[in-house]
Amino acid sequence: MIGAVACLGVLVTAQGASAEATARIVAAAQALVATLDEAGRAKVQFPADSPQRSRWSNLPTGIYERAGLRLGDLTPPQRAAAMGLLEAALSPDGYRKVREIMHGDEVLPGAPGGPPGAAGPGRGIRFGEDEYYLAFVGAPSPTARWMLQFGGHHLAINLTLAGAEATLAPTHTAAQPARYSIEGRTVRPLGDENDRAFALMASLDAAQRAKALLGYDVTDLVLGPGQDGRTIQPEGLPASALSAAQQAMLLDLVREWAGIAADALAAPRMDEVRDGLPRTFFAWSGPTTEGGAAYFRIQGPALVIEYAPQRGVDHIHTIYRDPTNDYGARYAHD
Amino acid sequence: MRTTSLLGLAGALLAAAGASAHRREDYLQAARVGLEPEGVLITLAVTPGVAVAEELIEALDRDRDGASSARERETFAALVVSALRVELDGRPLTLHVVSSDAPELAAFRRGEGAFRLTLRARVPRVADGPHRLLFRNAYLAGHGAYLANALVPESAEVTVTAQHRTVDQSALTIEYTISDARR
């Protein structure tokens, strides 16, 4: 009885923390709106039933046209409010990741394998930190369902909030270059994803590895942009065949995506992923030694993660989905 | 004027090609195979890289009017389907086009356009027990980057037990069982 009460207390506390996080995000969204004129408010706000909800892409501006508030069109105070909103919505690590992906797009034009010429307008296809867009689908609310969208080249954050409930699915992160330098510091926006995956692979024994290896090439995301509503048959090594330590490594790997959201929102999601471990699979295609360009997939009853190098280690695409709750489908009745 | 626009197009293609080092000279062909007790439903998306988009556009927009008509999409779909082979337990199945869809042609040139096909093969209800379905895609063999996956069956009567592919995923064999869910 005391245990049950304690569990209920933990649940209530967790829900309270999630609801508080949502309230903070709503406050930051309202603070941004307060800096905008009428035209800006019209750009950022979409109706709750707008098809904007599922409009996102990995492609840069000029190939794919986004809607919403363009960072490059904002005044410094407006831009600070927009980034403040992201900071409220994301965990410190998630915010770091987003900033590093955006900055990667700034350095991409001069990087090996990158497009010719400098970033900036006037070339049709545009790169850089100005080319990221922010939108609300549904009015920001501490209780009703709404979505915070933020995206540009190699990034699509789709955070649906409904009071104490939240989902980041689907979210796309990517990096090109996957490694660059700022003031002598090496930046790898998706480095932890890569390193944790190779560490997990290295921990597998021969029998586990044989099950994880797909035995065929995977050259792209299977469930990337435009692939909403599909559930592929899981393949690979069942997480039930992992040791406790390896399962912990797998969960740490999943946290690289689920943990992009603010900590209070990510915690219940990680509980859900943990509960689904007995029906979760880990699959791998490509070299198994660190430094190679390898594809991997984690798939559970409410989870799909794919990590797909694009013909080399310096250009990575990833996707994070919840086939049971993409775009907050579970909250649609609210 | 024409020279200017061609130069502009070439520049855009170059920029797009390098833009993201996204797909350039091959055709991403992503197939999803849905097994049913009475057949198979296949979706196939063909996305040309920016450097080969004009090849696909030439094959699709046969009257060169800058758009794809329903008749042209039908003709192109037939071309793709002729390069596909589906076998159930070793017997070839006939695929019928349920729908075909193409974006504006400029989307192919930008590297974001996909020609999407939905195909179906119907058979009398498959007998209870184990079965094998082969899907082989030879469309633009040598220039294709293939993805082929079984979908989680919508019918409780169908259970996928294994998938086997060639290394390049141009061929997928799905092992599955049929059982009457009412029993």
Side-chain angles (χ1 to χ4, degrees):
Chain A
M1 180 66 179
I2 293 173
V5 171
C7 283
L8 185 62
V10 169
L11 182 64
V12 169
T13 305
Q15 286 191 333
S18 299
E20 284 174 17
T22 296
R24 280 195 297 275
I25 297 165
V26 170
Q30 290 168 342
L32 167 63
V33 170
T35 70
L36 301 174
D37 59 15
E38 192 175 333
R41 288 196 293 274
K43 278 185 181 172
V44 78
Q45 185 64 65
F46 291 81
D49 59 354
S50 167
Q52 177 66 22
R53 183 181 300 280
S54 56
R55 285 199 75 248
W56 54 274
S57 171
N58 59 301
L59 295 167
T61 305
I63 296 181
Y64 186 85
E65 298 307 321
R66 292 175 174 81
L69 278 183
R70 177 177 171 270
L71 287 193
D73 293 335
L74 301 181
T75 65
Q78 289 169 337
R79 191 157 174 155
M83 298 313 290
L85 168 56
L86 286 180
E87 208 163 0
L90 307 180
S91 66
D93 194 52
Y95 185 68
R96 185 267 312 161
K97 199 169 297 192
V98 163
R99 294 302 305 262
E100 290 181 353
I101 290 169
M102 293 169 64
H103 194 72
D105 208 50
E106 193 77 33
V107 304
L108 173 61
R123 294 189 56 85
I125 300 171
R126 300 191 296 276
F127 302 93
E129 295 183 352
D130 284 351
E131 301 301 331
Y132 288 79
Y133 288 71
L134 190 144
F136 306 147
V137 183
S141 163
T143 54
R145 182 174 79 146
W146 67 288
M147 174 192 269
L148 167 61
Q149 265 190 344
F150 183 74
H153 188 207
H154 285 152
L155 181 68
I157 299 287
N158 296 305
L159 176 62
T160 303
L161 298 148
E165 299 183 290
T167 179
L168 261 181
T171 275
H172 163 71
T173 56
Q176 186 192 18
R179 178 194 293 265
Y180 60 88
S181 296
I182 302 176
E183 297 170 348
R185 181 173 63 92
T186 298
V187 176
R188 298 169 65 218
L190 304 178
D192 289 341
E193 289 84 336
N194 176 82
D195 297 350
R196 290 186 190 282
F198 273 102
L200 175 57
M201 200 60 191
S203 79
L204 303 183
D205 63 27
Q208 290 173 319
R209 187 172 292 212
K211 280 191 174 174
L213 287 170
L214 290 171
Y216 56 86
D217 295 337
V218 187
T219 61
D220 215 327
L221 298 173
V222 178
L223 296 171
Q227 300 302 321
D228 294 343
R230 302 174 193 275
T231 306
I232 59 172
Q233 189 71 27
E235 296 176 274
L237 172 68
S240 57
L242 296 174
S243 68
Q246 289 168 329
Q247 287 184 352
M249 294 171 79
L250 181 65
L251 288 170
D252 285 344
L253 180 55
V254 171
R255 193 174 287 107
E256 290 297 330
W257 284 268
I260 291 172
D263 293 339
L265 305 178
R269 173 60 174 155
M270 286 305 301
D271 289 343
E272 184 178 42
V273 171
R274 192 175 293 107
D275 291 345
L277 267 187
R279 290 186 290 151
T280 297
F281 292 79
F282 176 64
W284 188 277
S285 171
T288 56
T289 48
E290 177 77 58
Y295 165 95
F296 65 85
R297 182 191 309 150
I298 305 167
Q299 186 172 359
L303 174 71
V304 176
I305 287 171
E306 291 182 274
Y307 178 101
Q310 307 290 295
R311 290 188 272 180
V313 295
D314 207 34
H315 184 185
I316 309 297
H317 285 187
T318 86
I319 187 73
Y320 168 81
R321 287 185 179 274
D322 177 350
T324 71
N325 200 28
D326 273 357
Y327 306 105
R330 273 191 237 153
Y331 322 140
H333 60 282
D334 294 339
Chain B
M1 179 66 182
R2 180 172 168 74
T3 304
T4 305
S5 63
L6 284 174
L7 284 172
L9 173 63
L13 289 176
L14 270 173
S20 29
H22 290 126
R23 210 157 287 287
R24 179 173 160 72
E25 290 169 345
D26 53 15
Y27 293 77
L28 179 64
Q29 300 187 47
R32 277 93 190 178
V33 181
L35 297 165
E36 302 167 343
E38 296 180 338
V40 58
L41 186 68
I42 297 170
T43 60
L44 178 64
V46 179
T47 308
V50 290
V52 293
E54 292 300 333
E55 291 178 14
L56 184 143
I57 290 169
E58 279 182 26
L60 176 60
D61 180 24
R62 299 174 85 90
D63 64 6
R64 308 286 184 269
D65 71 345
S68 67
S69 66
R71 173 64 64 87
E72 286 171 334
R73 289 194 293 276
E74 197 176 296
T75 302
F76 185 75
L79 175 71
V80 175
V81 171
S82 69
L84 307 179
R85 184 171 181 83
V86 177
E87 295 177 5
L88 176 60
D89 297 329
R91 289 178 294 111
L93 302 183
T94 302
L95 287 171
H96 300 281
V97 178
V98 176
S99 66
S100 61
D101 183 55
E104 53 162 346
L105 301 183
F108 291 120
R109 297 187 176 102
R110 292 194 300 267
E112 64 161 343
F115 186 85
R116 297 181 189 279
L117 274 171
T118 302
L119 310 165
R120 183 184 287 283
R122 287 194 184 281
V123 295
R125 188 187 183 285
V126 180
D128 284 6
H131 297 278
R132 290 170 68 92
L133 184 118
L134 166 71
F135 171 77
R136 176 173 288 129
N137 183 354
Y139 178 60
L140 293 171
H143 300 282
Y146 302 97
L147 297 173
N149 287 83
L151 295 173
V152 172
E154 291 187 4
S155 168
E157 297 177 54
V158 184
T159 303
V160 174
T161 54
Q163 297 181 75
H164 308 282
R165 297 169 178 81
T166 52
V167 170
D168 68 355
Q169 295 200 62
S170 61
L172 164 69
T173 300
I174 306 169
E175 296 180 8
Y176 68 104
T177 60
I178 292 281
S179 61
D180 189 337
R182 292 166 298 184
R183 284 205 292 267

